[in-house]
Amino acid sequence: CTQAVRRLSLAVCDVVFDAGVAADAMYFLLRGKVVYTLQQVSEAHITRYDSRDDCSMAVGEWCSEAALFTNWEHIGTLCAGLNSEVLAVDAARFLDVTLKDGKVAESTVKYGLSFVQMLNSQAEAGTLTDLATRPKDFEFAEVLPDSRQKKSVMRLRRLIDSSSHSF
């Protein structure tokens, strides 16, 4: 699992990703403050919304999860509002690691299919974003059995906790 993650240290105003760029990682905020600005997407071009559409992520929140499960192009810009640190999960390496174990691969594929279905619903509703969102009807528990879900969540939390405490 550690093969798929890397820590990024950010200075104020460093850009993590820009709208219109292919996504290659999912990001967790470990410390600091990052600001996401949603872009207005149309068939022909991308234009900036006004600054009232800026949104700060809280420590422990994530974005760009879609990069793990589909070809994703960022629809917003993420930059550091303060000196910050993020944990990046490389999409290609994530797939390499998860597909090595049959049961993990099966659960990952099921989750990914549900996630892409959720993205399609958000696209139809005009509510797509790079930020983490979960509609009420999206059930992670339906994808993974309770014991595997708890183990996966616990492993991810340990990884985030160990990364965030070693500055």
Side-chain angles (χ1 to χ4, degrees):
C1 189
T2 58
Q3 299 168 7
V5 297
R6 67 187 188 284
R7 289 171 43 171
L8 304 173
S9 294
L10 307 170
V12 175
C13 296
D14 279 355
V15 175
V16 179
F17 58 77
D18 274 316
V21 175
D24 62 358
M26 175 181 179
Y27 301 93
F28 290 85
L29 180 60
L30 299 177
R31 69 174 177 90
K33 176 183 176 183
V34 292
V35 178
Y36 177 78
T37 304
L38 183 66
Q39 309 294 307
Q40 183 175 5
V41 180
S42 70
E43 295 286 324
H45 62 283
I46 298 173
T47 56
R48 183 175 300 277
Y49 279 121
D50 67 42
S51 62
R52 291 175 292 187
D53 291 319
D54 288 354
C55 180
S56 294
M57 286 174 47
V59 171
E61 290 184 334
W62 64 92
C63 65
S64 302
E65 184 177 4
L68 303 181
F69 303 109
T70 190
N71 292 326
W72 182 256
E73 191 174 283
H74 293 293
I75 56 174
T77 298
L78 187 70
C79 65
L82 298 172
N83 291 337
S84 303
E85 193 164 23
V86 296
L87 185 70
V89 179
D90 182 275
R93 290 183 180 168
F94 170 81
L95 286 176
D96 288 344
V97 170
T98 57
L99 297 180
K100 286 181 181 176
D101 179 297
K103 289 185 180 186
V104 173
E106 181 181 337
S107 296
T108 302
V109 168
K110 285 180 183 177
Y111 177 84
L113 291 171
S114 295
F115 187 84
V116 169
Q117 191 173 40
M118 179 193 71
L119 288 176
N120 290 333
S121 296
Q122 289 176 342
E124 289 174 13
T127 59
L128 276 177
T129 178
D130 291 291
L131 297 177
T133 58
R134 291 288 184 272
K136 291 178 183 176
D137 60 347
F138 185 83
E139 291 293 329
F140 185 66
E142 289 178 12
V143 178
L144 293 175
D146 271 348
S147 62
R148 290 196 67 84
Q149 176 185 347
K150 287 177 185 173
K151 287 178 187 174
S152 297
V153 170
M154 286 173 24
R155 267 189 240 128
L156 183 57
R157 284 191 179 142
R158 279 195 305 268
L159 180 63
I160 291 170
D161 287 345
S162 68
S163 294
S164 63
H165 294 302
S166 57
F167 300 116

